[in-house]
Amino acid sequence: MVVRAIMARLLEDLAYFPVVGLVGPRQVGKTTLAKGLAGQFTKPIVYFDLELESDRRRLTDAETFLRQYTGYCVVIDEVQRMPQLFPLLRALVDQQREPARFLLLGSASPELVRDSSESLAGRISYIELMPFSWPEVLSQSTIQEHWLKGGFPNAFLAPRLPLTFRWLTNFIQTYIERDLRLLGYELSGRLLTDLLKMVAHVNGNVLNISDLSRSLGVSQPTVNRYLDLLTGSFVIQRLAPYSVNVSKRLVKAPKLYIRDSGVLHQLAQTITYDALLGHPVAGASWEGYVIEQIRRVVGNDWSFYYYRTHAGAEIDLLLIAPNGKKVAIEIKLSNAPTVSKGFYSSLDDLQADYQFVIIPTGESYPKDNNLWVCNLTDFLINRLPEIYTE
């Protein structure tokens, strides 16, 4: 059993908010986490799964049915299947506002679920549950294994590597053929498959909509719509460019990353560690993996950017902490990294409070001035909490 890092946050929010939304991709353990609340929670829990026809029938007259559970924490799984419930939940909460009336589990972001944000505004706290992060599994794995397999529980815990990537293949196909259509989107499965493969090929690069549009033979608005769906269903992430109070000519398009490294490696057909290290995707894959692990540790309270000027100055990741501190990060797939002039030039532009080069393993050490070379584990477990509390 892997202990999920967000359990404490989930319990804290349930103790205050009348509705909590636990969102994330399918098969990351949302249901397991919700059912694990029994024994840790003061209210009795009743659970409904909207994937089951029997539970959907119970909610045909949802108002009458839910009123009998006013003293419970009502867990509604796959809530995006019935977005019409949200106005009713708002009304029930307003009639009897108390903590933990509803726990909603969903496989799509609030932006993809029609009317959810508007209907429950001021009443709901959203928490994102993603696949296993590296700190959650470091006691039972190596960082190389976690990077290769990704964090989806069924993929990561598979007893043999072929089973890992067989599961990932099925997951990708199921996502394309079923999940987005269940949200009411009419999609071309072939187009979405081709787009995913192309995103894997350009993972970590600056987004060029016109190139994707031309290669796929569809309009730029169509590409943008599909990218929005991939983002809203937690498959890809856009990393925004940083341009605040900087007077230089900057690259202003976002960079694209597939969020789970195992999904990326399956799409790129790099299904062994040796194959990964010899594949052109390796450097960008490691970069995206590091960014995603940081995101899973700090959540949505921090801001994430990259910085690049047309003159060549670049920072792979610029973090801005809730306390306003800037953290400039160069990401290297080497334990003996060299740092470019462009990185030092960017530091002069941004005046970052902290500067790191993140490497896979090895000892952390100061390089020069305020720059530290730091392995990923040390950075996630020791350095980030220090930055947040200073």
Side-chain angles (χ1 to χ4, degrees), residues 63-360:
E63 180 178 355
T64 301
F65 187 77
L66 291 176
R67 283 189 184 280
Q68 64 184 312
Y69 293 107
T70 52
Y72 289 72
C73 175
V74 178
V75 179
I76 303 177
D77 204 346
E78 299 300 338
V79 70
Q80 75 277 354
R81 296 286 303 269
M82 293 182 69
Q84 65 270 27
L85 286 176
F86 290 108
L88 170 62
L89 300 183
R90 178 195 63 193
L92 294 175
V93 164
D94 288 349
Q95 289 173 11
Q96 185 177 339
R97 191 180 182 103
E98 61 183 41
R101 289 213 57 191
F102 298 99
L103 173 59
L104 309 180
L105 313 184
S107 300
S109 69
E111 292 76 21
L112 280 191
V113 180
R114 178 169 44 90
D115 296 335
S116 62
S117 298
E118 293 80 1
S119 295
L120 292 171
R123 304 163 183 86
I124 188 168
S125 167
Y126 282 107
I127 303 173
E128 186 177 294
L129 181 65
M130 289 299 291
F132 293 151
S133 68
W134 167 235
E136 288 176 324
V137 298
L138 60 81
S139 64
Q140 53 191 283
S141 180
T142 64
I143 197 167
Q144 291 85 357
E145 180 185 30
H146 185 249
W147 173 34
L148 174 66
K149 291 182 171 182
F152 279 99
N154 287 322
F156 177 76
L157 298 172
R160 297 189 302 113
L161 202 55
L163 292 174
T164 291
F165 287 98
R166 199 175 305 155
W167 185 90
L168 286 167
T169 298
N170 293 331
F171 173 79
I172 293 167
Q173 291 174 345
T174 301
Y175 162 74
I176 292 170
E177 295 171 0
R178 175 186 173 191
D179 290 357
L180 284 176
R181 287 193 177 93
L182 287 176
L183 289 172
Y185 294 99
E186 291 299 324
L187 302 169
S188 164
R190 181 176 179 181
L191 176 59
L192 193 56
T193 300
D194 290 344
L195 178 59
L196 270 172
K197 290 178 179 178
M198 292 189 68
V199 171
H201 180 70
V202 300
N203 183 74
N205 291 341
V206 174
L207 173 61
N208 189 319
I209 289 290
S210 61
D211 281 355
L212 291 176
S213 170
R214 186 167 52 253
S215 298
L216 292 168
V218 296
S219 69
Q220 293 187 28
T222 297
V223 173
N224 269 319
R225 183 169 72 94
Y226 276 54
L227 290 176
D228 286 343
L229 293 173
L230 290 170
T231 302
S233 49
F234 311 100
V235 176
I236 67 170
Q237 188 70 257
R238 293 178 173 101
L239 184 65
Y242 183 79
S243 59
V244 179
N245 297 327
V246 177
S247 59
K248 299 191 175 183
R249 292 183 64 237
L250 303 174
V251 175
K252 295 184 178 180
K255 294 171 76 172
L256 280 186
Y257 295 93
I258 291 178
R259 295 191 67 171
D260 183 76
S261 56
V263 170
L264 169 63
H265 298 153
Q266 171 58 32
L267 289 167
Q269 291 296 292
T270 53
I271 59 176
T272 69
Y273 188 67
D274 288 342
L276 173 59
L277 291 181
H279 197 280
V281 79
S285 171
W286 173 250
E287 181 179 307
Y289 173 80
V290 169
I291 293 171
E292 182 64 22
Q293 297 314 304
I294 295 172
R295 193 182 297 276
R296 292 183 194 175
V297 169
V298 303
N300 296 322
D301 294 335
W302 295 49
S303 298
F304 286 66
Y305 303 96
Y306 80 96
Y307 177 78
R308 182 184 294 179
T309 70
H310 286 283
E314 182 174 6
I315 285 177
D316 292 330
L317 179 63
L318 177 67
L319 295 175
I320 301 182
N323 58 13
K325 299 292 185 181
K326 294 180 183 177
V327 186
I329 297 173
E330 183 82 350
I331 301 168
K332 296 290 188 181
L333 183 57
S334 168
N335 288 337
T338 58
V339 182
S340 68
K341 291 182 180 178
F343 179 73
Y344 288 110
S345 175
S346 298
L347 294 179
D348 292 337
D349 294 342
L350 298 174
Q351 297 297 303
D353 301 284
Y354 303 91
Q355 306 155 20
F356 293 96
V357 179
I358 295 183
I359 59 176

